[in-house]
Amino acid sequence: MAKKRRTVRAKRPPSKSAATPESTQEGQNPPPTSPTTELACEKLRIEIARLQEPWWKSFARNFRVADGVALIVGVSAICTALYTGYFSALNERLSIEKLRLEDERETLQAEIDDSKAQLEQTQHRLDIYEKERNSIQEILALCADDSRDISPEITLTFLDDYDTFRLVLVPSRPLDYGIHLIWSDEEAALQSDETFHHPNVPRILELASGIERIRELEVRRFILTRHDIDTILSHTQLTSLVLHGNGLTDDSLMSDGPSSNLTRLSLAKNVGVTRLPASRFTGLSTLVLNGTSFDDDGIATLAPLSATLTTASFDSTAVTDAGLAHLARFHQLNAIILTNTLVGVDGLLELGDISRLQAIIVSDDQLSNDEADQLFGSSSSSRIFRFPTGKEYDSSVFFQ
């Protein structure tokens, strides 16, 4: 009979993790821990305990005597400062310092603004000088035209302030060897009645009217039109104008444009002039009409100048005694030239009430010596000067 085989299964030993409560209660100890872990746990317990303490215990534990002394001193200093007004004085000083700094800032800002304004003015002057240089160069180029027998010649002369100048335009005649003969001698200019036409003159006058620093302009013996006169008078900075022998007429001076700023005007040798549009020259103090066709009615048109005119010259005109009656209201008149006219004693008596009148210039044949001495009497400030008969009076002295 076959023998039965028995299978015996071995039992596994129980694992440590599977320990039952009974085995733990039977006195078995927990696994051992490292010293680092124990220290960390102890530190946490101490911190937790401190957090649970009242605030005053924590403050007392960390309090040091030095800190207390410093706190007491600080509080005492603050109290003392408050009591003595230290903070108020400091605040006042700071306010004063603030005001000072603000004043300095305003001063510096004003200086900056002034510097900017000066810079703008300097730049403006440079622009003006550049424009003037270009205009003068073009004028010189126009004057260099030798294609005609007569060509313009200009002279620029600085005035007393060395910043403004006088421009003189006269005809010149080229000689055979290429040198221009300039008719600028005053005596020759007064004796010459010859006039010339040149196509470049209008353009020269147009360029000159754009040069701001020109204060005085003189044009001799070039034919000028009404348009040329308007161009000249458009120069608002011009104060003195001499137009000598330019073929002008009454119509040449008429214009609807604004009044000029001229204080001195000479229209000598312009035979076609019989009237003056005084409303266009309201600020004149010196007026020269030598060699024009001015007559008594012409003097009547000068009434708007009665408050400003100080010097008047009527040499070689048609003025008579009747015309001087219109000048009796010119109380600012200081000097009058009546050479080579029909004015006599009766006309000069019309000027007796002008207290400012100091000089009356007549020709030899207009008054005798006795009449000249006795005319206004010794108490009058007026003096009569006799000029050689037939000789033209040079009124250019009023424009120097």
Side-chain angles (χ1 to χ4, degrees):
M1 211 175 155
K3 190 184 274 187
K4 293 183 180 180
R5 299 177 61 182
R6 294 178 65 183
T7 303
V8 179
R9 294 182 180 177
K11 295 183 179 180
R12 275 183 199 170
S15 62
K16 295 181 180 180
S17 59
T20 61
E22 291 80 4
S23 62
T24 303
Q25 292 176 359
E26 291 178 354
Q28 294 183 359
N29 295 324
T33 58
S34 64
T36 304
T37 303
E38 293 179 356
L39 289 175
C41 292
E42 184 64 23
K43 182 179 180 181
L44 288 174
R45 284 194 297 270
I46 294 173
E47 291 181 354
I48 291 172
R50 287 183 175 178
L51 291 174
Q52 294 175 345
E53 290 180 347
W55 66 269
W56 55 271
K57 287 186 177 181
S58 177
F59 176 78
R61 184 184 301 109
N62 297 323
F63 180 77
R64 293 180 296 179
V65 176
D67 295 336
V69 172
L71 178 61
I72 294 172
V73 172
V75 172
S76 301
I78 292 174
C79 294
T80 303
L82 290 172
Y83 179 77
T84 58
Y86 172 78
F87 290 121
S88 299
L90 181 61
N91 183 52
E92 184 177 355
R93 286 199 298 271
L94 291 175
S95 299
I96 295 174
E97 183 67 15
K98 179 183 177 182
L99 294 175
R100 186 185 65 81
L101 293 176
E102 288 178 350
D103 290 341
E104 288 184 0
R105 183 185 65 180
E106 292 178 357
T107 302
L108 291 174
Q109 186 62 44
E111 292 178 356
I112 292 173
D113 294 340
D114 290 342
S115 299
K116 288 182 179 179
Q118 291 178 4
L119 181 61
E120 291 176 357
Q121 292 177 359
T122 302
Q123 185 61 49
H124 178 66
R125 291 176 67 87
L126 289 176
D127 293 340
I128 291 176
Y129 293 162
E130 181 65 20
K131 181 181 177 181
E132 289 179 353
R133 186 179 67 87
N134 295 336
S135 297
I136 291 174
Q137 287 181 347
E138 187 173 349
I139 290 174
L140 292 175
L142 293 171
C143 292
D145 181 12
D146 294 334
S147 60
R148 297 172 177 264
D149 293 338
I150 298 297
S151 62
E153 189 77 21
I154 68 164
T155 303
L156 285 174
T157 306
F158 276 103
L159 300 178
D160 293 339
D161 59 3
Y162 293 98
D163 187 51
T164 58
F165 45 86
R166 182 173 188 255
L167 187 147
V168 178
L169 180 64
V170 297
S172 68
R173 177 170 291 162
L175 302 179
D176 294 337
Y177 42 85
I179 299 177
H180 284 262
L181 177 63
I182 303 175
W183 295 345
S184 57
D185 181 76
E186 294 295 339
E187 189 67 26
L190 289 170
Q191 299 299 329
S192 175
D193 294 330
E194 187 177 5
T195 57
F196 306 94
H197 176 270
H198 197 283
N200 291 348
V201 169
R203 177 57 181 166
I204 292 174
L205 295 177
E206 182 180 350
L207 292 169
S209 65
I211 301 177
E212 293 187 13
R213 291 195 294 162
I214 291 181
R215 296 293 183 270
E216 300 180 6
L217 177 64
E218 180 176 342
V219 183
R220 288 184 175 270
R221 295 190 305 282
F222 279 116
I223 299 296
L224 300 179
T225 65
R226 180 173 179 174
H227 176 73
D228 296 330
I229 300 301
D230 289 341
T231 299
I232 292 173
L233 296 182
S234 67
H235 193 313
T236 57
Q237 303 298 322
L238 201 63
T239 59
S240 176
L241 177 62
V242 175
L243 300 176
H244 183 99
N246 309 110
L248 298 178
T249 64
D250 293 342
D251 182 68
S252 303
L253 301 175
M254 296 296 178
S255 176
D256 296 330
S259 61
S260 68
N261 295 321
L262 293 176
T263 58
R264 296 184 297 176
L265 174 64
S266 174
L267 299 173
K269 294 291 184 177
N270 287 284
V271 181
V273 175
T274 65
R275 304 287 185 274
L276 183 72
S279 60
R280 198 177 187 186
F281 306 98
T282 54
L284 287 181
S285 61
T286 300
L287 177 62
V288 175
L289 297 169
N290 298 358
T292 65
S293 298
F294 241 69
D295 55 13
D296 297 339
D297 293 334
I299 290 184
T301 65
L302 302 179
L305 304 178
S306 61
T308 59
L309 196 64
T310 60
T311 303
S313 181
F314 301 100
D315 176 81
S316 302
T317 62
V319 175
T320 68
D321 292 344
L324 293 191
H326 298 294
L327 297 179
R329 298 186 301 272
F330 285 60
H331 298 291
Q332 303 298 321
L333 203 59
N334 181 267
I336 185 170
I337 295 89
L338 298 167
T339 51
N340 303 308
T341 64
L342 299 178
V343 173
V345 175
D346 294 339
L348 295 178
L349 288 174
E350 298 286 349
L351 306 178
D353 293 334
I354 303 177
S355 59
R356 292 177 179 270
L357 188 60
Q358 296 182 0
I360 302 173
I361 303 176
V362 297
S363 299
D364 284 336
D365 61 348
Q366 292 177 251
L367 291 177
S368 65
N369 290 335
D370 292 339
E371 290 174 331
D373 294 337
Q374 300 176 6
L375 187 60
F376 294 124
S378 58
S379 61
S380 174
S381 61
S382 302
R383 296 187 59 187
I384 297 179
F385 300 90
R386 302 172 67 211
F387 202 69
T389 301
K391 187 175 182 180
E392 297 180 3
Y393 187 83
D394 182 8
S395 298
S396 62
V397 294
F398 302 130
F399 293 85
Q400 294 177 355

